[in-house]
Amino acid sequence: MFRRIGTTVVRHPVWTIVAWLIAAVAIVATAPSLPSNSDESSFLPKSYESIKAAELQAEAFPGAFTPSAIALYQRTDGGKLTAADKKDVARITDELGKKKIDEVQKVVPGQPSKDGRYDLTLVQMDSKNAGQPKQADAAKVLRDDVKELAKGTNLDVKLGGSAAQALDQQDSSERGQALIGIGTFLIILVTMLIIFRAPILAVLPLILIGIVSAIANGLIAYATKLFDLQANSSVSSILIVVLFGVGTDYFLFLMFRYRERLRAGDEPKQAMIDAVGRVGEAIASAAGAVIIAFLALVLSTLGFLKQMGPALAIAVGVTLVAGLTLVPAVVSLIGPKVFWPSKSWQREPENARFAALGRGVRSRPALTAALSGLVLVALSLGVFGYNATFDLASGAMPKTKESMVVQDEMQKAYSAGAAAPTDVYLSSTDGKPLDKSAFPAYAKRLGAVDGVASAGMTQVNKDGTTADFTVTLKYEASTDRAIETVGRVRDVAHSDAPEGTEAVVGGMSSIYKDIDAAVNHDYRTVFPVAAILIMVILGLLLRSVVAPLYLMASVGLGFGATLGATVWIFQNGQGHSGLMFMLPVIMYLFVVAIGTDYNILMIARLREEAREGRDPREAAGMALRHAGPTVAAAGFILAATFATMMLAGNALLTEMGFAVSFGIAVAAFVMAMFFTPSLTALIGHAAWWPGHADRAVAAPAGTGAEAGESGPVPDEDRDALAQRSGGRG
């Protein structure tokens, strides 16, 4: 099939390129815009208690005041606020309310801090649009206006709250995307120049992937709108890396094999057809594993991951089609001039280092497997110290952003949990008014929960059927202690609810508690499903039951080593309280799916060498010699492109960038180079049971050794053949 694809695009390169350009223009011109949502509660399905509480609040207390933005005032000299300062705060609050800013429903004064150094203005926005870009726009207007109104006073004012966080996250994301894009571009350009010493080959993947990126983003926007998925700004940053990193990988897989066929004496167009025919199955299987793993995120209960899965799957799918059609068409049109001005493509390099590594694997497979396995196991020990954090806002932007400064200062000036109190909604089950005489005792029991600073009944709805008890925790909403405390609050709220009533607990800590439960669900669901589906793809590619088992086991070890190393560096080394909660899910999918690419490429080459009549150990050594440079180049580029995410300047992308790049490096330079080929050499022919995919294939009549389809060709003969054919270009 892949040979037929190669033949079609190589014979009709212009039509193939024109079809891609028409598709790009049509999709980009008609694709809808892709909005972003930063509201954590929108990530959860309606079955979770925190979401039920939010819906009950909207129904029972439609006019309830929930600040979306908070203006925090303090004196420029850091002293206590004077009477004149307090008058200025009142004036600013009043004038801000009169401006009738879009999305702003109410502006009211807040409570001064106990030490008298801080005061607040609270701004309520339309709750239906929480987390939407329009509220970030409103926050920008508010921030500008409140600073303008404070001019000429002794007040320093900063704007925080969820709307301001959305604004700062948006700005941080745009800056991060620019840095990631520039970093990715430079890494690919410089690395390709070093590998091929050919400017056309260095620039070509960037141009082609740019076209693919435009098409992929348009299709993602269509899918997001069609299936009503949640969009998030972090997805765009990840998309840049996936498209350029994976796209360059597939480009390298193809170009290394194209160059090899040219050296073997193939005519240029036939060389590309042979390259697609030989490496197409490996590329398709590798992409299939990645797509399946990403699509497994559809099973997630978190809206953020539900959207990320299909988006990344679409991106890889488009990249795969481009790798099998657009790239061969363009390169076949240019021909060997694509390598200009370098002439090194005409002769096979000695690959002395990889040949030496191959000899090491061939002669000592048990030692190689043991040492590489021990490295993975040792790194995996760090997993036992893993802890999750849930504050997406602070994780998605630097601590120096204004909204983050407000959050930190409010935690010091007020009760840590005051900025995001927990609400317990007590409702009548029979529709009759609640017995208010039971409220004081119920509030007292809530207030007695370990970790609660205060609790009290704040309001009852007009029908008297639902009461709101505000519970202030001693800890900031996203901390482990707050999440543990809200769990105890739920237990008491449910068990001690007066007869004929039921309680639900809402607020940010309750949302984080449910996100924790959702992530644990994903661990039990997404991980196994993705692993099983990837094993099926490996089984179909290798026609084996045994090989997929130890390949996935090795990838699992790679995941453990990656998470362990990330824990040691960020938690133990840098003192982070934990890693972002969704990191293991994303890491698992990237390391398992994309890391499997290199295992697939190496094992496919090993099978090809075995089919030429080599015994398992010799085949492993030769596979490392010939596929090693491809895996090393592709692994370096992909790891380096993911590492550019660390330039974004926020905890989420920094942790993700390190973890995924480290995992890719482990997959390429430990698993694919040593662990997988040495294990395959040790297991021998049994690795391919029940099929015989490694058995020598008899050459069809009329073909010779040059076609690479016959029986074994001694190494020295292959090298001589390559040298003789090199001069023919």
Side-chain angles (χ1 to χ4, degrees):
M1 179 181 77
F2 296 102
R3 184 171 291 276
R4 286 198 298 272
I5 292 173
T7 301
T8 302
V9 299
V10 168
R11 288 180 177 174
H12 307 286
V14 175
W15 286 113
T16 303
I17 296 167
V18 168
W20 271 92
L21 292 176
I22 291 173
V25 171
I27 291 171
V28 171
T30 59
S33 59
L34 188 63
S36 179
N37 193 341
S38 59
D39 179 19
E40 285 94 337
S41 65
S42 69
F43 297 162
L44 289 166
K46 294 182 179 180
S47 58
Y48 282 90
E49 182 169 347
S50 58
I51 307 304
K52 291 179 180 178
E55 291 176 343
L56 178 60
Q57 178 197 27
E59 180 183 340
F61 306 104
F65 189 91
T66 304
S68 298
I70 301 170
L72 178 69
Y73 305 89
Q74 65 179 128
R75 282 185 60 85
T76 53
D77 60 10
K80 289 188 177 182
L81 296 173
T82 64
D85 295 331
K86 292 176 182 178
K87 284 185 179 179
D88 284 330
V89 170
R91 174 185 59 79
I92 293 170
T93 302
D94 183 58
E95 291 186 24
L96 206 58
K98 292 177 180 177
K99 286 184 174 290
K100 305 297 182 185
I101 298 169
D102 185 42
E103 285 293 308
V104 173
Q105 295 179 328
K106 195 181 297 184
V107 181
V108 300
Q111 292 293 323
S113 62
K114 291 181 180 179
D115 61 10
R117 295 174 58 232
Y118 295 89
D119 207 345
L120 303 172
T121 293
L122 307 178
V123 181
Q124 178 178 325
M125 297 186 188
D126 189 347
S127 61
K128 294 192 296 293
N129 296 326
Q132 297 297 330
K134 59 177 68 176
Q135 293 205 348
D137 295 340
K140 188 176 190 310
V141 176
L142 276 168
R143 183 173 282 170
D144 292 341
D145 286 353
V146 76
K147 290 181 186 297
E148 183 66 30
L149 290 170
K151 282 184 178 179
T153 70
N154 294 316
L155 296 172
D156 176 48
V157 57
K158 300 182 183 71
L159 192 76
S162 59
Q165 288 176 353
L167 172 64
D168 289 342
Q169 186 176 338
Q170 180 178 295
D171 292 341
S172 179
S173 175
E174 289 172 358
R175 174 182 173 275
Q177 283 182 43
L179 289 172
I180 289 169
I182 293 169
T184 300
F185 183 92
L186 290 175
I187 285 168
I188 293 174
L189 185 67
V190 172
T191 308
M192 294 292 282
L193 277 172
I194 292 171
I195 293 171
F196 292 105
R197 296 188 289 281
I200 297 175
L201 262 183
V203 174
L204 193 58
L206 296 170
I207 296 172
L208 298 182
I209 297 167
I211 296 172
V212 171
S213 176
I215 293 175
N217 276 295
L219 293 177
I220 289 165
Y222 274 121
T224 300
K225 185 175 182 180
L226 182 63
F227 298 105
D228 194 27
L229 300 171
Q230 298 292 343
N232 186 275
S233 55
S234 296
V235 174
S236 299
S237 301
I238 298 169
L239 266 177
I240 294 171
V241 177
V242 168
L243 282 164
F244 281 88
V246 173
T248 305
D249 263 12
Y250 298 161
F251 184 84
L252 281 171
F253 290 177
L254 190 66
M255 291 310 301
F256 269 96
R257 187 53 71 97
Y258 175 59
R259 186 174 66 178
E260 184 177 324
R261 297 313 307 159
L262 286 173
R263 286 170 177 164
D266 284 2
E267 181 271 330
K269 289 190 180 296
Q270 186 60 44
M272 180 55 73
I273 293 171
D274 286 346
V276 175
R278 285 168 176 265
V279 84
E281 185 180 20
I283 292 177
S285 299
V290 178
I291 291 169
I292 287 293
F294 288 158
L295 286 178
L297 284 176
V298 173
L299 300 174
S300 171
T301 49
L302 295 171
F304 168 71
L305 295 178
K306 273 181 178 291
Q307 193 268 346
M308 178 184 285
L312 297 180
I314 289 169
V316 175
V318 177
T319 305
L320 167 63
V321 177
L324 296 176
T325 58
L326 182 61
V327 173
V330 172
V331 174
S332 67
L333 206 58
I334 300 171
K337 291 179 182 178
V338 75
F339 296 105
W340 178 88
S342 172
K343 298 195 182 293
S344 62
W345 66 271
Q346 296 177 345
R347 58 189 180 277
E348 184 174 359
E350 294 180 2
N351 285 342
R353 293 177 185 173
F354 292 99
L357 292 175
R359 288 193 296 271
V361 168
R362 181 177 61 191
S363 59
R364 299 182 185 85
L367 180 63
T368 304
L371 289 177
S372 54
L374 281 173
V375 170
L376 297 175
V377 171
L379 289 172
S380 298
L381 295 177
V383 170
F384 296 105
Y386 168 73
N387 187 46
T389 57
F390 296 87
D391 188 359
L392 272 176
S394 62
M397 67 186 107
K399 289 288 187 181
T400 53
K401 283 291 186 180
E402 186 170 326
S403 58
M404 291 294 96
V405 174
V406 170
Q407 179 175 290
D408 291 342
E409 290 184 352
M410 283 191 65
Q411 288 176 28
K412 297 171 186 174
Y414 296 83
S415 169
T422 295
D423 289 286
V424 177
Y425 297 102
L426 190 68
S427 300
S428 169
T429 56
D430 57 9
K432 296 179 181 178
L434 295 166
D435 179 9
K436 295 183 180 180
S437 64
F439 290 174
Y442 188 61
K444 186 176 180 180
R445 286 193 288 274
L446 291 173
V449 173
D450 183 29
V452 171
S454 64
M457 199 281 293
T458 51
Q459 57 183 334
V460 180
N461 70 336
K462 62 181 181 181
D463 296 329
T465 55
T466 300
D468 177 9
F469 292 79
T470 299
V471 179
T472 303
L473 308 183
K474 294 178 180 178
Y475 317 108
E476 195 274 321
S478 65
T479 60
D480 291 340
R481 287 187 171 184
I483 293 168
E484 291 169 2
T485 300
V486 88
R488 293 191 289 270
V489 169
R490 283 183 177 182
D491 292 340
V492 172
H494 298 160
S495 62
D496 289 9
E499 188 176 351
T501 67
E502 62 179 5
V504 290
V505 180
M508 288 310 303
S509 293
S510 186
I511 288 172
Y512 292 136
K513 176 76 174 174
D514 287 341
I515 288 177
D516 188 25
V519 170
N520 288 330
H521 164 272
D522 291 349
Y523 291 162
R524 296 189 301 270
T525 307
V526 177
F527 281 21
V529 169
I532 290 169
L533 292 175
I534 291 173
M535 284 179 66
V536 169
I537 288 177
L538 289 172
L540 293 173
L541 168 68
L542 304 174
R543 283 79 166 172
S544 167
V545 172
V546 177
L549 293 174
Y550 69 80
L551 287 176
M552 285 307 298
S554 71
V555 172
L557 267 179
F559 166 75
T562 303
L563 182 56
T566 308
V567 167
W568 272 334
I569 288 177
F570 288 96
Q571 288 186 208
N572 300 343
Q574 297 190 8
H576 290 197
S577 60
L579 304 178
M580 291 306 295
F581 67 90
M582 81 279 280
L583 186 63
V585 177
I586 294 171
M587 187 192 308
Y588 174 84
L589 293 166
F590 278 102
V591 173
V592 170
I594 297 180
T596 303
D597 284 9
Y598 306 122
N599 266 342
I600 287 175
L601 187 70
M602 185 62 73
I603 204 79
R605 184 60 188 244
L606 194 153
R607 179 185 62 181
E608 187 177 324
E609 296 293 340
R611 280 178 168 175
E612 293 188 354
R614 292 182 171 84
D615 64 57
R617 292 193 178 198
E618 188 182 3
M622 291 302 296
L624 184 51
R625 176 184 175 182
H626 291 292
T630 311
V631 170
F636 172 79
I637 288 179
L638 192 59
T641 51
F642 271 104
T644 61
M645 294 170 70
M646 298 173 70
L647 299 173
N650 66 65
L652 173 60
L653 291 179
T654 298
E655 291 173 2
M656 193 184 300
F658 170 81
V660 177
S661 61
F662 184 86
I664 299 256
V666 167
F669 296 101
V670 180
M671 290 190 303
M673 291 271 194
F674 300 106
F675 198 62
T676 297
S678 59
L679 272 182
T680 306
L682 277 175
I683 296 170
H685 293 298
W688 307 95
W689 184 88
H692 302 287
D694 65 328
R695 302 301 186 184
V697 179
T703 63
E706 290 180 352
E709 304 288 353
S710 65
V713 180
D715 291 349
E716 58 272 19
D717 291 345
R718 285 163 55 122
D719 293 341
L721 174 64
Q723 289 170 2
R724 288 198 305 272
S725 63
R728 295 196 297 270

